[in-house]
Every structure is written in structure tokens, then in C-alpha cells.
Amino acid sequence: MTDLDALQAVLGPGARPVRHALTGEAGIALPPFADHHVHLHLIDPGPLAAGGIAAVVDLGGDPDALAGRRVGTPRVAYSGAFLTAPGGYPSGRAWAPDAVVHAVTSPSASPGVAGGARTAVDEMADAGASLIKVVLHAAGPALADDVLGAILDAARLRGLPVVAHAEGRGMAQRAVRAGVDVLAHVPFSEHLHGETIAAAVADGMAWISTLAIHAGSPDAAVARTNLERFAAAGGRVLYGTDLGNTQAGPQRAGVSAAELTALQDAGIRGPELVRTLTDGWPAGAVAGLATFVPGGLPDDEFALPALLAASRVVPVEELLDTTR
Ligand SMILES: [Zn+2]
């Protein structure tokens, strides 16, 4: 086995041994990393690139404020506001000002109808959204099936995937049945039926991890078990932290060793673990940037989260390939 083979066996086909052209450090290059679930209005994105994150996906924010943040590093893709039932989650939460919540009152497929599904989707798409976020929360008012279906139809018309916040009994199952593309959180409210997991995998649904926000809660074990079954069946998993969510304490601005350790505990290891970070959903890979991991491979696979959390984003031209 060459050094390159050994590296790629642990970190996947995108890994290369490199030397940093400016600092002389030896290390490993990987494709750019993304945090697929953040809330920019609740955080300072400044330190993210130094912490290894080259791209973020904002899953609930003010569409007008976000439209001004599309340049620079990290690259930003966003959903705009949460589309929810009138008075539904997250209306009234301290972290969710009015501009980040959009009530959908009817399944109208006509443009320009106040409260209509098509109007809500058009508003987010016109503000530059790369995806649409819907809320299916069992506590409080929830979107009706016909409204949810109309949002999905309108999003398809605009070529946008739909991400659901699914929480409470039956909500993840509803999302799978409706044909939602991505779950914003690995389901954490209940153990899913095997048929629901199989259907999610068969439909190509992706689940965003957000496991570390459940630290210290019984939800953590439920999420872990659901994820273990989904991943073992071939489900697509995306790394995401819900950065801005502090229910389990403040989160680090950058790659989270806690999130990666929780993914590892659910059986997602080595190249599969790296792939959750390098998946380009929804906007494709970030051009011109790479991940630089100082140092070499750890002897112990379980040290990978700490290694990846020590990474930083660099321009590709700063890394010199040292493959022998
Ligand atoms: Zn969130």
C-alpha cells in the first residue's frame, strides 16, 4: 500500500498528501467542507473558514437579509423563511423574528395570492433561495396535507429541493410520504418504522445530522438509532450542526468534533464520515477552495473527528501535492 492508498482508505478518494506553500506545513488536502444546517442571523460566520467550513446552508432566516450575503467565504446557500402554518413553529420563538417565519394559509397554485403556497415559494425563490424549508411540527398548528403538497409542487416548478423540519409523532413519516427531499434533522422524536426508513432511502432522501444538539437529552439515543438504520440501508447523510441553536450549549464556529463523533457512533466511519462534510448539496462543490488538515493520519480511526476539526479552508493553489 502506498501512502496515498493508505490515506484514501481512511479519508476517501479526494484525499491527497500536501505541503502548504506559504507555511511549509505538511498535511492532507480534502475537498471543501460544508455545514448543511446553520442560522446566520444567530451567529458570526467570520471564524467559520478558519475552522474548516467553506460553505453553509442557512435553513431558516430573513430572505432579504440573506440575499446580500452571497459573496465571500463561507459560501452561503439558503432557504429564506420557514414556511409554516399560521401560528405554527417557530412563530413567537425568541430566536425567530417575524422576517424568518412565513405563514402559508392556502394550497393556491396561482402566483400572487396572499398566503398561497405558490406565492410563498415564489417569494423565497425570487430572493435567491436554493431550497425551500417547511415545518411539520406536531405541537401546535401544522401545515395541512394539501398545503404541503402545493408547496412541493411549486418548489418543483422553480427547480428547488424541499427540506422539512419534522418533529413529533408521525411527522417524519409524513415528510417521507409527501416526497420531501431532505430532513433538516435526523428524526429524533420517535423510532421510525422500518418501512419508513426503507422508503426514505428508496426515494433518495437525505438526512442532515444535527446530532450534537441533542447531547444530554433522551432524543440523542433515538436519533442515533434512526441514523444507524438509515445509513446502514444506504441513506444519504449530510453533516449539519444547526449552528445558532444553543439548546446543548454554545457551538464552535467550525467543524464540530462533537458532531463528527456522534456520526461515528452511529456507524458512519472513515470515507463515509468525510463524505457527509464534502457533499456539495444543494449548490455543488465550492470552486477554488480546499480543506487543509495539518499533520498526518492518526493511528486510531476514532481520532478522526479531532483531526478534521483542526482543518482550515485555503485556496487550492496554496497546497502542493506531495504524493510519492
Ligand atoms: Zn435549524
Side-chain angles (χ1 to χ4, degrees):
M1 225 190 206
T2 66
D3 288 356
L4 183 62
D5 289 338
L7 201 59
Q8 294 187 343
V10 177
L11 295 172
R16 315 284 299 180
V18 292
R19 185 167 52 79
H20 194 285
L22 305 180
T23 66
E25 292 162 282
I28 302 163
L30 287 167
F33 292 168
D35 188 333
H36 300 89
H37 187 155
V38 308
H39 296 280
L40 288 169
H41 71 285
L42 300 172
I43 62 163
D44 170 15
L48 281 169
I53 297 295
V56 294
V57 186
D58 189 290
L59 288 184
D62 175 351
D64 295 327
L66 287 162
R69 300 182 89 149
R70 275 185 289 176
V71 291
T73 306
R75 185 187 63 190
V76 176
Y78 54 91
S79 64
F82 291 82
L83 306 191
T84 191
Y89 179 89
S91 312
R93 300 294 202 280
W95 56 266
D98 289 350
V100 316
V101 184
H102 184 108
V104 184
T105 54
S106 95
S108 175
S110 303
V113 174
R118 171 77 184 273
T119 306
V121 169
D122 282 346
E123 193 176 307
M124 301 312 145
D126 291 346
S130 301
L131 57 139
I132 295 297
K133 175 89 179 271
V134 296
V135 177
L136 299 172
H137 197 311
L143 291 171
D145 278 335
D146 59 346
V147 177
L148 175 61
I151 291 171
L152 281 154
D153 290 344
R156 304 275 184 266
L157 275 179
R158 297 299 299 254
L160 301 181
V162 174
V163 181
H165 173 105
E167 180 168 358
R169 187 158 286 275
M171 291 296 125
Q173 186 182 33
R174 263 192 84 191
V176 172
R177 282 196 178 146
V180 163
D181 301 287
V182 177
L183 295 183
H185 306 275
V186 165
F188 58 89
S189 305
E190 60 183 344
H191 292 285
L192 296 193
H193 198 286
E195 285 172 13
T196 302
I197 290 176
V201 174
D203 289 352
M205 190 184 233
W207 289 3
I208 301 170
S209 57
T210 74
L211 300 169
I213 58 169
H214 306 302
S217 149
D219 295 346
V222 176
R224 174 184 151 159
T225 305
N226 284 329
L227 182 58
E228 261 172 358
R229 296 165 69 207
F230 179 72
R236 180 181 175 193
V237 182
L238 304 173
Y239 168 93
T241 62
D242 203 4
L243 194 57
N245 177 331
T246 56
Q247 70 187 38
Q251 299 198 62
R252 174 178 186 261
V255 175
S256 163
E259 189 66 37
L260 291 173
T261 299
L263 278 156
Q264 245 185 1
D265 288 347
I268 298 165
R269 308 249 166 94
E272 298 296 324
L273 186 66
V274 173
R275 193 181 314 177
T276 68
L277 282 158
T278 58
D279 192 308
W281 181 86
V286 185
L289 297 178
T291 305
F292 179 63
V293 187
L297 275 184
D299 295 332
D300 177 359
E301 168 191 11
F302 289 92
L304 265 192
L307 181 84
L308 296 171
S311 67
R312 63 184 193 263
V313 179
V314 299
V316 286
E317 61 269 21
E318 287 183 8
L319 299 181
L320 307 174
D321 198 312
T322 57
T323 307
R324 287 186 302 257

